[in-house]
Amino acid sequence: MRADFLNSEPETPNAEIEVDPAAPDRFFNREMSWLAFNWRVLEQVDDERTPLLERVKFLSISGSNLDEFYNVRVAGLRAQTRAGVEGRSLDGRTASQQLQMVDQQAAALQDAQQRTWTSLRPLLAKQGIHVVGLSDLTVNDREALAARFNAEVFPIMTPLAVDPAHPFPFIPNMGLGIALHLRHRQNHETLTGLLLIPPYLDRYWRLADNPEGTIRFLPVEELLLLHLDELFPRFEATERCLFRVLRDSDLEVEEEAEDLMREFETALKRRRKGRAIRLKVSSDAPADLKGLIADQLEIDRSEMIEVEGVVGITDLSQLIVDDRPELNWVPYQPRLPERVRDHNGDIFAAVRQKDMLLHHPYESFETVVQFLQQAARDPNVVAIKQTLYRTSKGSPIVKALCEAAEEGKSVTALVELKARFDEAANIQLARELERAGAQVVFGFVDWKTHAKISTVVRHEGSEMVTYSHFGTGNYHPITARFYTDLSMFTCSRNHGRDAAKIFNFITGYAEPSGLEAVKISPLFLKQTLIECLEVEIAHARAGRPAQVWAKMNSLFEGEVIDALYRASQAGVRIDLVIRGICGLRPGIKGLSENIRVKSIVGRFLEHSRIVCFGNGHGLPSEGARVFISSADWMDRNLNRRVETLAEVTNPTVHAQIIDQIMAGNLRDEAQSWVLQPGGTYVRAEAPPGDELFSCHEFFMKYPSLSGRGRSGAADAPRLTQVTDKAEAPHAA
């Protein structure tokens, strides 16, 4: 299977699969497409080129992904089913039909996760890493564990009896517990007991290494059973059931909430008590204990999953130790842009010279942090505006904004309270910013503000100059170490003026008009994409080159997919790199024979959103139109969120995206799966003796074009050879 889209032609379309261009089955099912993505994550565990502990990490990620999928997506489908909602998905299925498909596929995925763990254990053991049981403990182990149990565990554990006088307690989302049948050692009375494991207790407790240096872990549930006498004195366990609860984690907010922050705090409390939608129990537990837990949680037996193996695959990440670096990827040190160093660290001077694009994590996110820190301390800076969707705990960006506000600068921070699973953290940072004197706004009640924009207004001579940053990822220094994203810095007047209009829209509902370099959803972004596709269609029909390259996390918006189908039917060549969900069927004769789709899953999580339109010149070309975006091509992003689509006008940045970033992704084979017309993904395989090209390794090895300084860009190779010398659009 050819995964190198850069240097190969589309294959002959599949004549066996016929799809009516007007029928719902022209789309793949969203939920099944997501599950297919998580299968790709799990398949990374089988890749022997990946270091062993990184393979454990991929297994853990596949587990946490599946849990979150049930928390949010499946919870929504079950709610629709209970409410009798008759609406159908884009591919024509009811919620109940989708649930049936999902449960079957998720069960297969869960079984595969357990088989994968079974195959990993002997490999870990061979490297001296073991998960042990009570029978493996030495006398010294037991003595050391007793001391730790009494100091760290006993004070926070609350053993519970379950009877009419002691009602079954509330168990939070992701709550892990042990239900027990207990028998008194003297009078043989029986008791049903419950041990809820606090979430801040490690799931795997590292024991002292033995003289050979073997690393050993004991599961926390085994530790509790070892010290059951201290939790339930004079009782012994006759039967047990380990279980984990997943709850509906969707969050609803009253539309007319007067104080949005207070309303979200209330909503977060409601979510912690959301309906139980999935119960995982150890398969060897007695039926009455499993039934008791299910009944108390008011969960249907069909939503109770018996697990033969590890309950809580996601917790296996705790086995990834720092003292075995040879079993992890060699740490990568991001590059700092030379151009900034050439200007003695002055980012404003570097950007004044020309636009600059950073490709994270290959180039350090620290430059973005320094941009705001420099702005906070620069006496010529008068105003900073910033969106914050997700950021890190103790964020240096938030600290810089607070410092700027305390220095008397005008600071406006758009904090998105609806950033799923980060709502509580964002409430806290909003209060921190308000205390420092920043103007904090929360955007729209109906729409999430997912755009990634920062502007700094600086007094220079007799004018005010706006420095803008547009990103494809969050202002999050931690995830920027392993998410691939783009950061574009510019002092272009058009970009700065558009950014100001967008902030005014968010803060004061002033709908922007006359946007030139930046389009936003839900107002103009989808329309712009479709219009650009229509331009490509016109070029194709006129016999001119017509081509589209795009990269994103997910594609599932009906109007956009239909526009892509129309473009394919007109003869436009379309190559898509889509990491996760894809609702488009590629390679079908008469529908999508000119469309290819692949997914890259590897060391770094592909997160950047890019689209390149040939604009009558084909690709690669200096005459192409190139955009970076915060938005995936999903219904939510294009129709219910504030997102940005920023056009690249600087020739060097333009070349960097086409000739390096997009070309590298299109050429990648080592981490690529190619989507087939029937919905399966086929992984690229190397011929005997050949080595597959890895875009991640390429980007780690070679510098980018726009970050080069006085040393020049001769060692920043281009993976394409641009032959069309048409003038770059709006060249800056």
Side-chain angles (χ1 to χ4, degrees):
M1 174 57 61
R2 289 302 302 272
D4 180 358
F5 287 3
L6 186 66
N7 299 304
S8 66
E9 298 292 322
E11 296 184 357
T12 303
N14 190 313
E16 297 179 1
I17 299 178
E18 294 184 4
V19 175
D20 181 348
D25 65 353
R26 70 187 185 277
F27 304 112
F28 289 128
N29 179 263
R30 171 178 170 154
E31 318 307 339
M32 297 303 288
S33 184
W34 184 92
L35 286 167
F37 161 67
N38 210 32
W39 274 105
R40 297 195 293 282
V41 173
L42 183 60
E43 286 177 37
Q44 282 291 102
V45 186
D46 297 327
D47 190 342
E48 295 182 357
R49 296 170 298 179
T50 303
L52 183 58
L53 289 180
E54 302 292 348
R55 293 162 71 180
V56 175
K57 183 184 295 183
F58 276 115
L59 176 58
S60 170
I61 291 170
S62 77
S64 62
N65 282 350
L66 189 58
D67 286 344
E68 183 176 333
F69 177 66
Y70 267 83
N71 281 341
V72 179
R73 297 298 305 177
V74 176
L77 290 173
R78 294 202 191 287
Q80 289 182 39
T81 302
R82 288 193 301 271
V85 174
E86 297 180 358
R88 293 179 180 267
S89 60
L90 205 58
D91 61 311
R93 290 181 168 85
T94 65
S96 60
Q97 288 172 329
Q98 293 181 80
L99 278 174
Q100 187 175 4
M101 295 166 58
V102 163
D103 286 340
Q104 182 179 4
Q105 190 63 221
L109 180 60
Q110 181 176 276
D111 290 344
Q113 289 172 342
Q114 298 297 336
R115 290 195 302 272
T116 301
W117 172 236
T118 300
S119 68
L120 278 180
R121 288 192 72 167
L123 298 178
L124 289 167
K126 189 175 180 180
Q127 295 295 332
I129 301 175
H130 300 263
V131 177
V132 302
L134 296 182
S135 61
D136 301 306
L137 300 179
T138 66
V139 173
N140 289 340
D141 290 334
R142 291 171 180 264
E143 290 176 352
L145 284 170
R148 291 185 66 188
F149 175 84
N150 287 321
E152 302 174 40
V153 181
F154 184 77
I156 61 174
M157 287 299 300
T158 304
L160 299 167
V162 180
D163 59 26
H166 300 84
F168 198 85
F170 173 77
I171 301 172
N173 182 42
M174 300 297 291
L176 182 69
I178 310 173
L180 299 158
H181 279 327
L182 301 165
R183 182 174 59 203
H184 199 282
R185 287 194 174 89
Q186 295 175 345
N187 59 26
H188 303 296
E189 288 185 359
T190 59
L191 175 70
T192 299
L194 197 63
L195 294 174
L196 298 184
I197 301 171
Y200 36 81
L201 278 184
D202 287 341
R203 177 70 187 277
Y204 292 95
W205 285 59
R206 185 167 175 174
L207 307 174
D209 296 351
N210 64 20
E212 293 78 31
T214 300
I215 296 170
R216 298 171 301 146
F217 289 93
L218 181 73
V220 68
E221 59 267 28
E222 297 293 320
L223 175 69
L224 295 177
L225 291 173
L226 178 64
H227 297 95
L228 198 62
D229 262 346
E230 293 165 75
L231 297 167
F232 291 101
R234 295 182 295 280
F235 280 89
E236 62 181 354
T238 57
E239 291 175 310
R240 62 173 177 166
C241 175
L242 183 67
F243 65 92
R244 170 161 272 161
V245 179
L246 300 183
R247 291 186 178 275
D248 183 345
S249 292
D250 204 2
L251 187 151
E252 295 180 1
V253 178
E254 291 297 326
E255 201 169 302
E256 300 299 329
E258 291 184 10
D259 186 330
L260 199 56
M261 193 184 304
R262 188 174 298 114
E263 174 65 21
F264 265 92
E265 289 174 327
T266 303
L268 282 170
K269 293 175 183 177
R270 289 200 303 268
R271 184 168 74 184
R272 282 192 285 270
K273 297 180 180 179
R275 184 187 182 100
I277 52 97
R278 190 166 169 88
L279 172 64
K280 297 181 180 180
V281 297
S282 48
S283 61
D284 58 353
D288 60 334
L289 268 183
K290 290 185 282 195
L292 170 69
I293 301 166
D295 290 343
Q296 294 294 331
L297 293 172
E298 298 181 340
I299 197 164
D300 190 88
R301 292 299 191 274
S302 65
E303 297 162 356
M304 182 173 71
I305 309 301
E306 297 191 7
V307 178
E308 189 171 348
V310 178
V311 176
I313 284 286
T314 185
D315 296 333
L316 293 174
S317 61
Q318 295 179 21
L319 305 180
I320 301 171
V321 293
D322 294 331
D323 46 346
R324 294 298 303 276
E326 74 280 10
L327 300 180
N328 288 285
W329 275 308
V330 175
Y332 177 72
Q333 185 62 40
R335 295 182 294 270
L336 293 171
E338 290 182 16
R339 182 137 57 91
V340 175
R341 291 206 299 269
D342 287 349
H343 289 275
N344 299 315
D346 186 339
I347 297 174
F348 299 135
V351 176
R352 271 198 308 274
Q353 181 186 352
K354 64 178 177 179
D355 293 0
M356 183 169 63
L357 184 82
L358 303 184
H359 190 193
H360 310 303
Y362 314 106
E363 293 168 297
S364 177
F365 188 79
E366 185 62 24
T367 305
V368 180
V369 176
Q370 290 171 355
F371 172 67
L372 290 163
Q373 290 174 336
Q374 182 179 334
R377 297 160 191 167
D378 187 336
N380 291 320
V381 169
V382 297
I384 302 172
K385 295 183 180 182
Q386 174 80 48
T387 63
L388 290 169
Y389 186 75
R390 298 188 199 279
T391 189
S392 59
K393 185 177 180 180
S395 168
I397 287 176
V398 173
K399 289 180 180 178
L401 295 174
C402 289
E403 181 181 350
E406 289 165 353
E407 288 292 320
K409 302 181 192 303
S410 173
V411 176
T412 303
L414 183 284
V415 179
E416 181 48 72
L417 295 182
K418 296 185 286 296
R420 180 171 282 146
F421 303 122
D422 277 336
E423 298 94 344
N426 284 2
I427 288 171
Q428 183 176 348
L429 71 87
R431 295 195 186 284
E432 184 180 346
L433 285 162
E434 284 182 332
R435 285 195 296 270
Q439 177 67 49
V440 178
V441 295
F442 304 117
F444 302 92
V445 174
D446 292 337
W447 304 333
K448 285 185 182 181
T449 301
H450 193 250
K452 313 305 193 294
I453 318 175
S454 178
T455 64
V456 173
V457 181
R458 190 171 187 268
H459 194 273
E460 296 181 359
S462 60
E463 63 178 349
M464 293 290 186
V465 178
T466 298
Y467 293 82
S468 305
H469 171 269
F470 296 91
T472 65
N474 298 304
Y475 289 97
H476 198 305
I478 306 303
T479 60
R481 296 173 189 169
F482 54 91
Y483 280 32
T484 74
D485 271 307
L486 302 181
S487 284
M488 184 173 75
F489 294 91
T490 182
C491 57
S492 151
R493 291 180 182 275
N494 291 349
H495 286 86
R497 190 162 45 243
D498 287 354
K501 291 179 180 179
I502 293 166
F503 273 111
N504 290 345
F505 176 50
I506 295 169
T507 60
Y509 303 125
E511 186 169 314
S513 61
L515 294 177
E516 299 172 83
V518 187
K519 304 299 182 182
I520 61 168
S521 64
L523 303 180
F524 315 116
L525 202 160
K526 182 171 73 172
Q527 175 187 344
T528 301
L529 293 175
I530 293 175
E531 286 174 354
C532 287
L533 287 170
E534 293 296 337
V535 169
E536 295 302 311
I537 290 171
H539 286 309
R541 288 175 176 163
R544 293 185 290 270
Q547 201 164 355
V548 177
W549 289 350
K551 177 181 182 294
M552 65 202 76
N553 301 318
S554 302
L555 168 61
F556 205 83
E557 207 281 341
E559 289 184 65
V560 172
I561 293 176
D562 281 338
L564 289 165
Y565 285 151
R566 288 196 303 275
S568 172
Q569 291 159 16
V572 181
R573 283 271 305 276
I574 301 170
D575 289 316
L576 305 175
V577 182
I578 302 173
R579 186 195 79 222
I581 299 165
C582 179
L584 178 148
R585 286 182 177 268
I588 294 178
K589 188 174 179 60
L591 178 70
S592 56
E593 58 199 81
N594 290 307
I595 304 178
R596 294 184 292 185
V597 179
K598 71 172 180 176
S599 169
I600 294 176
V601 180
R603 173 172 180 170
F604 300 116
L605 186 141
E606 292 297 333
H607 195 252
S608 55
R609 291 94 167 191
I610 305 167
V611 60
C612 309
F613 298 98
N615 198 31
H617 307 286
L619 289 166
S621 167
E622 292 178 0
R625 296 189 71 183
V626 175
F627 301 84
I628 67 170
S629 181
S630 63
D632 289 314
W633 295 1
M634 301 283 283
D635 176 63
R636 66 186 185 195
N637 302 86
L638 301 183
N639 302 316
R640 300 193 305 278
R641 287 187 177 184
V642 178
E643 304 269 17
T644 57
L645 179 76
E647 186 158 12
V648 173
T649 56
N650 176 269
T652 305
V653 175
H654 187 280
Q656 180 180 343
I657 291 176
I658 288 182
D659 299 337
Q660 287 189 315
I661 298 170
M662 280 306 301
N665 279 271
L666 291 170
R667 184 176 168 183
D668 181 87
E669 296 171 298
Q671 300 135 156
S672 292
W673 280 258
V674 180
L675 177 57
Q676 304 301 296
T680 59
Y681 283 79
V682 177
R683 187 166 192 179
E685 294 183 359
D690 285 1
E691 188 171 334
L692 296 177
F693 176 83
S694 164
C695 66
H696 291 173
E697 291 179 8
F698 173 83
F699 295 135
M700 285 191 287
K701 183 176 181 179
Y702 295 106
S704 66
L705 286 167
S706 72
R708 300 300 273 161
R710 282 191 292 265
S711 59
D715 60 345
R718 303 187 184 198
L719 291 168
T720 65
Q721 183 64 43
V722 178
T723 57
D724 186 335
K725 298 301 181 183
E727 183 180 355
H730 317 296

